[in-house]
Every structure is written in C-alpha cells, then in structure tokens.
Amino acid sequence: MVHKSGIYLLLATAICVLGGCHGANILGVFTSLSPSHLIIQMSTAKVLAERGHNVTVITVLKPVVNHKNITVIMVPLTKEESQQMSDTIGAMSKTDNSNMILSMLRMMGQMEFMFDKMAGALKDDRVRDLYLNRDNKFDLVLSGYFMNVYQLGFAKKVKAPVIVVATMPPNQLLNPLIGNPLEIAYVPSISDSVEKGKGMSFRQRLAGYSSSFFFGIFDFVTQRRSKRLYKELFGDDPNMPEYSELVKNTSLIFFASHAPSEGPIRPNVPAAIEIGGIQVKDTPDPLPQNMAEFLGNATDGAILLSLGSNVKGSHINPDTVVKMFNVLSKLKQRVIWKWEDLEKTPGKSDNIFYSKWLPQDDILAHPNIKLFINHAGKGGITEAQYHGKPMLSLPVFGDQPGNADVMVKQGFGLTQSLLSLEEQPFKEAILEILSNPQYFDKVASFSSLYRDRPMSARESVIYWTEYVIRHHGAAHLQSPLVHMSFIAANNIDIYALIAVVLVILVLLLKLLLQFIYRKIFAKPKKEKKH
Ligand SMILES: *[C@@H]1O[C@H](CO)[C@@H](O)[C@H](O)[C@H]1NC(C)=O
Ligand SMILES: *[C@@H]1O[C@H](CO)[C@@H](O)[C@H](O)[C@H]1NC(C)=O
Ligand SMILES: *[C@@H]1O[C@H](CO)[C@@H](O)[C@H](O)[C@H]1NC(C)=O
Ligand SMILES: *[C@@H]1O[C@H](CO)[C@@H](O)[C@H](O)[C@H]1NC(C)=O
C-alpha cells in the first residue's frame, strides 16, 4: 500500500511538473471562529505547503496546525472579544444543551457577532492588499466554509479559481454550489438513521422532508445575510459579478467526510471530493519523551482525557472535576489529562499525567491507549475512529450531544452529560468500555473501512488541488444543475406540460365522444324534424 501510494505521488509529481503547477501560490481564507473548523482547514493548507506550494492564509484565530512555509495573515479578535467568545462558550457549557435544536438556536444568537468578525477580517488592510497589490498572483483560493458564501468574492478579486473547504459532509447548504443532488427521499440528514438493507419508510421520509424544509428557511436567511455582506465588502467594484452569478463558479468542494465508512451512501457529482480525516496524520509523529515513557510503561493500558480546545478546564464545574479525579485516580490504568492550569491541577496521583498541550492524534495512535474520554467534538471523534479507539463522550453544547449520540449508536462507546456527571455512573461507564470488547471491536472494524481508500485524504487534497490549477478552474467538471432553477431541476415545467396536454386530450376525447354520440343517437331526431 505504501508502495502504491508512493508511485502514485511520483506520477502525480511528474504530471504536475509537466503541467507546470509546482510551487503554486495558494491563498486560504479561513476566517471561522471555530477552532475545530480551523484545524481541518489548516490541515488542508499544511498538506499543500508540505508539497512545496507557497501557501498564504487569512485567519481570525491563531492556528494550532501550522507549517513553516505557510504565511499567516491573522486579523485577531480584541482581548474583550476573545473574552466574550470564551465566556459564551463557558456559559453554554453550564446550561443543559442536550436538545440539539434548542442549542442550535442558542448558537444562532451568537452568529451575528461571528459573522461580523468573519466579514470584518476581509476589510483588514493587509488582507485587502492581497488583491489591491498587483504583485500578488494567486493560482487558487481555498475558501473555508461557515455559511459565508460571500467569501467566494475574494477569489474573484484575486482572479483565481476557488475550492470550498467544508468541515461537514455534503448537505443542503453546500450542495447547490456544485450542483450536487439533494435526494431527500433516501439521503437521511443523519447518516445512521436508516437501517442497513432497508429503504426509508414513510415516517422517515416525512421527517426528512420537514427537516429539509426548515433547513431551506435557514438557508434563505443565511443567503440573505451573505448577499448583504457581499455588497458591503465588494459592492464598490463594478467588475464584480452579481451574487447570483458568484454562486455558480465553485470548482470543487472538499468535504470533511468519508461516505463508504460513515455514510450516508448517496450520489455525489465529480466536484464533491471527500477528504474526511485530513487532520489525522497518515503516520504519527514521535511523542515527547516524558509522554512516550509514561504511555510506554502503562502495562495496564492508558486513558486519554481531553475536553477539546473550546472548553477549558476552568469552564467545568469544580465539583465535577473533583468527581472525575476521584474516579480516575483510583484506576489501575494510566491517564493523560489535558488541563490548562498546571499550577492548580485537580489533584496529584501517580497514574495521572497533566498536560496543557497534547499531540492528541499521536497519543491516540499509541497502542496502549484503551479509551478516549472526550467532549464529542467532530475532530476528536474522527481521530479516535481513525485509530480505532473506543470513547466515553461528555458532550457540552452545539453539535456535541448529536455527535455523541451518533457515536453511541455506532457502538463505539458510551455517553454521559458532563453537567450531571456523578462518580458512580462515570466509573461504571469507564469500566464497561475497558472490560467489554464489543466497543473496541466495532470501532476497530470501522477504522479498517475508514482507512481503506484508493487515495488517502492527503493524496486527494494534493491531486484535486493541482487538478483544478492544471485545468484552470476545471469548469468541465461542473454539473449543469448549478445553472438550473428549482422548477427546471425538478422537471416541474415538463410535468406541467404533460398535465396540460393530458387535459387537452381529455377535452378533445370528450368532444369527440360527444360528436360520435350525437352522430349515432341524434341523427334520427334530426331526420324526423326534416
Ligand atoms: C508567496 O506568496 C506571497 C504572498 O502571500 C508572496 O508575497 C511571495 O512572493 C510568494 N513567494 C513566491 C516564491 O512566489
Ligand atoms: C519551504 O520552502 C522552501 C522553498 O520553497 C523549501 O526549500 C523548504 O524545504 C520548505 N520547507 C519545508 C519545511 O517544507
Ligand atoms: C468561473 O467564471 C470564470 C469567468 O466567467 C470562468 O472562466 C470559469 O470557467 C468559471 N469556473 C467555474 C468552475 O465555473
Ligand atoms: C519506562 O520508564 C523508564 C523511566 O522511568 C524509561 O527508562 C523506560 O524507557 C520506559 N519504558 C518505555 C517502554 O517507555
């Protein structure tokens, strides 16, 4: 397998050198305020930098994933704004968000602030200089997606083709950009909600239709905001296309998903490229020595505990921390615990190793890790699934409760609310996962499907990025659906025509029958009269 991909890359290099796309200038516009989005987007940029391309990225947050050859133009939040974000996340983690729709609505309250900041980054002088300064030439733009279609205007400004980098699977918000079909009759919105070997029942389709309807309203609101921001940012330039044209010009979308292992099984157009797991290294880096020794000597196995980049240790209720410590310190397994404030740790214990910063991916790759306790962020779950490690998820807010439910349904582990965590159930859940092999077996078999691909996520990013550059935007890949209205795309006008023709035929038939009827039965009457 290593050989094949090696030869493949060599081949791609040869094609690329011949095609003249080596050392391309690539611009990433990654303004999202979500650290987990930025990790996926920066991982994509990093692959391209490692490949030898000259990558520049615009960010608001400080990237955790980076590379020496990536130029980062950061338009940071002010201290107060960072505090506001951090407080909001803290507040959200202290209220119960087990209802996904409610917590999504709460998040929408925060959206205005986020959109202001994302659009604001594009007004920064250093950012505007990227298109105002004629010396800058870009061969390709990567646009990080967060309901910010207006950002495609930036690619127009630098006159480069654009690839959208999405942190989710194909969905209703993104499909229209590349004419990917929606197919709600058999594509569920949550991938595992249809049983294997079965179609979708009437009830499932009705639920799918309703959620699609609400997504449609959400999309309408989002697009209106996006249109307004597009005018605000680029409206002064008469050479810029109308918004309705802007959205018909995306070369590809990189989706952070992998349908054959994760589902849903659905048709995708050639411009939909799945790069799920891009943030996971194909081969892990060596661990820092103290961590390597701590894990290497864990003869009874080890547990990794990390509640993600959004939720800092101090956001968690102190009582909860004490309860967690009481359970973990009594285990025979060793524990690596991500904890920000090393001055004030939850407590000292020989089997617990606190660290402010964790190479999570490399730790999960370690064979002694038997359990990953996490907050059900999509990134962490992906890494654990890649490395085949069972999980105990303690979701807090946003999409986390939903992610945790999906993970539990898949059989990869268990979930408990962080807010109502109690010692006894916490301990029981840990012991259950460590002692019952079913969780490990399920996630290990997923892992083997997840890794079994014709091209790895890294290879896909390199190949398709260079493909778009080689073919100047690769417009030949574009689905005609991009240019069609709802009526045309669903053949509603054809059905209308058929209906009209049928009605006319029926009317004609009726007239004909009346005529024949009269001929046969009315004739004698007429003759009588004459
Ligand atoms: C790399 O990109 C930057 C733009 O961010 C540009 O200033 C620089 O000249 C480029 N380097 C090369 C070698 O093209
Ligand atoms: C960065 O780019 C330079 C020039 O293109 C190259 O020589 C060097 O190897 C790159 N560094 C890394 C770490 O890839
Ligand atoms: C985008 O628009 C430009 C200019 O009209 C065109 O040359 C290019 O082929 C389009 N690309 C795609 C993917 O539609
Ligand atoms: C176990 O720890 C000792 C130091 O305490 C270290 O020398 C040794 O290399 C460790 N073993 C492994 C497998 O890492």
Side-chain angles (χ1 to χ4, degrees):
M1 214 173 138
V2 173
H3 256 81
K4 241 167 66 194
S5 65
I7 289 169
Y8 160 75
L9 267 183
L10 251 160
L11 215 82
T13 311
I15 293 170
C16 190
V17 168
L18 292 176
C21 70
H22 227 66
N25 282 325
I26 296 173
L27 174 66
V29 190
F30 303 148
T31 53
S32 173
L33 268 65
S34 156
S36 60
H37 287 194
L38 190 59
I39 286 175
I40 287 174
Q41 292 158 358
M42 284 302 290
S43 301
T44 310
K46 186 178 174 184
V47 166
L48 294 168
E50 282 171 352
R51 171 83 171 153
H53 295 298
N54 180 23
V55 183
T56 307
V57 301
I58 305 165
T59 72
V60 174
L61 303 178
K62 186 172 161 51
V64 185
V65 177
N66 212 332
H67 185 269
K68 268 193 293 194
N69 280 5
I70 298 182
T71 311
V72 179
I73 302 176
M74 193 174 143
V75 188
L77 299 176
T78 62
K79 229 176 179 170
E80 294 77 48
E81 288 165 345
S82 296
Q83 191 60 45
Q84 186 185 338
M85 276 299 283
S86 171
D87 287 349
T88 311
I89 287 165
M92 283 197 272
S93 69
K94 289 200 172 86
T95 50
D96 188 9
N97 279 300
S98 47
N99 184 326
M100 195 161 157
I101 298 201
L102 269 181
S103 77
M104 286 294 231
L105 282 176
R106 260 189 221 115
M107 255 172 84
M108 282 179 61
Q110 278 307 304
M111 292 263 197
E112 284 312 314
F113 171 74
M114 296 185 31
F115 280 103
D116 269 3
K117 289 297 132 193
M118 286 198 304
L122 301 188
K123 294 179 193 157
D124 186 88
D125 283 341
R126 288 167 303 154
V127 173
R128 279 160 48 85
D129 184 67
L130 292 171
Y131 57 79
L132 293 176
N133 183 345
R134 305 252 155 179
D135 292 339
N136 288 319
K137 292 250 180 318
F138 291 103
D139 304 296
L140 183 93
V141 170
L142 298 171
S143 179
Y145 181 77
F146 190 77
M147 289 157 272
N148 53 354
V149 170
Y150 63 85
Q151 205 171 265
L152 297 176
F154 210 86
K156 279 277 165 226
K157 276 289 196 186
V158 300
K159 301 189 177 63
V162 63
I163 295 178
V164 169
V165 184
T167 52
M168 50 196 98
N171 63 71
Q172 197 167 346
L173 300 179
L174 280 160
N175 283 339
L177 287 178
I178 50 169
N180 210 35
L182 188 54
E183 303 296 356
I184 51 175
Y186 59 93
V187 181
S189 46
I190 296 172
S191 61
D192 75 329
S193 60
V194 182
E195 246 179 284
K196 288 210 170 60
K198 291 224 168 89
M200 271 168 76
S201 67
F202 180 79
R203 263 173 69 176
Q204 285 171 324
R205 282 181 292 118
L206 188 63
Y209 192 89
S210 320
S211 82
S212 169
F213 180 78
F214 285 111
F215 252 109
I217 295 175
F218 180 74
D219 188 36
F220 178 78
V221 175
T222 312
Q223 292 291 350
R224 233 181 36 178
R225 184 198 297 114
S226 183
K227 217 170 184 167
R228 195 191 72 223
L229 289 170
Y230 179 63
K231 285 234 171 71
E232 193 180 311
L233 286 163
F234 308 112
D236 57 342
D237 182 351
N239 295 322
M240 289 294 276
E242 286 293 321
Y243 187 79
S244 55
E245 289 304 309
L246 181 77
V247 298
K248 297 175 184 167
N249 207 228
T250 302
S251 294
L252 298 176
I253 300 182
F254 286 151
F255 291 103
S257 57
H258 179 245
S261 57
E262 300 171 330
I265 300 300
R266 52 154 299 137
N268 281 325
V269 293
I273 308 296
E274 293 197 293
I275 58 159
I278 186 66
Q279 72 276 35
V280 190
K281 288 181 216 120
D282 293 352
T283 43
D285 289 336
L287 291 170
Q289 200 190 343
N290 53 356
M291 240 178 243
E293 277 176 13
F294 183 79
L295 279 180
N297 281 328
T299 44
D300 287 310
I303 296 170
L304 172 63
L305 166 59
S306 167
L307 298 179
S309 46
N310 266 347
V311 184
K312 297 198 171 78
S314 56
H315 285 146
I316 311 172
N317 189 331
D319 289 347
T320 307
V321 175
V322 171
K323 287 172 193 161
M324 290 169 86
F325 177 80
N326 287 346
V327 170
L328 294 171
S329 59
K330 292 193 190 88
L331 294 173
K332 59 180 188 211
Q333 283 78 16
R334 292 191 161 185
V335 179
I336 294 188
W337 189 335
K338 184 177 184 232
W339 188 263
E340 301 284 330
D341 186 0
L342 294 180
E343 308 273 287
K344 233 173 66 192
T345 62
K348 264 200 178 346
S349 174
D350 282 343
N351 74 327
I352 301 182
F353 180 108
Y354 297 102
S355 178
K356 209 168 150 161
W357 170 85
L358 291 178
Q360 183 165 297
D361 180 13
D362 302 327
I363 294 175
L364 284 171
H366 198 286
N368 281 354
I369 291 287
K370 303 295 177 207
L371 168 64
F372 179 30
I373 303 177
N374 59 30
H375 68 310
K378 188 86 173 94
I381 289 186
T382 302
E383 286 173 10
Q385 289 176 347
Y386 184 92
H387 294 296
K389 302 296 159 118
M391 288 165 262
L392 172 59
S393 283
L394 309 174
V396 178
F397 68 95
D399 62 344
Q400 296 162 3
N403 294 341
D405 288 346
V406 172
M407 185 277 289
V408 171
K409 261 196 210 153
Q410 288 168 306
F412 302 163
L414 299 170
T415 180
Q416 278 175 7
S417 164
L418 182 65
L419 301 170
S420 54
L421 186 132
E422 290 300 336
E423 273 180 45
Q424 195 55 24
F426 183 56
K427 183 175 149 198
E428 277 164 13
I430 291 175
L431 294 180
E432 161 71 7
I433 299 171
L434 290 174
S435 63
N436 187 339
Q438 74 174 51
Y439 305 100
F440 172 78
D441 292 346
K442 283 250 171 70
V443 74
S445 82
F446 173 88
S447 167
S448 75
L449 276 186
Y450 195 62
R451 296 170 184 227
D452 199 345
R453 311 182 191 190
M455 272 195 238
S456 72
R458 295 173 61 85
E459 287 164 351
S460 299
V461 164
I462 293 170
Y463 178 83
W464 286 105
T465 303
E466 292 178 355
Y467 183 94
V468 169
I469 296 173
R470 266 200 303 280
H471 298 288
H472 311 288
H476 59 276
L477 279 187
Q478 193 176 56
S479 161
L481 189 55
V482 170
H483 300 279
M484 290 164 77
S485 69
F486 179 82
I487 289 177
N490 291 285
N491 266 343
I492 291 172
D493 43 1
I494 305 269
Y495 297 137
L497 178 68
I498 292 174
V500 168
V501 169
L502 276 179
V503 167
I504 291 174
L505 278 180
V506 167
L507 288 177
L508 282 177
L509 194 65
K510 192 179 156 202
L511 285 179
L512 185 69
L513 286 176
Q514 276 174 346
F515 178 73
I516 293 171
Y517 181 86
R518 270 198 224 109
K519 274 269 177 218
I520 298 173
F521 298 101
K523 225 176 188 175
K525 257 189 193 170
K526 270 186 187 172
E527 276 177 348
K528 256 187 186 172
K529 262 192 176 177
H530 273 273

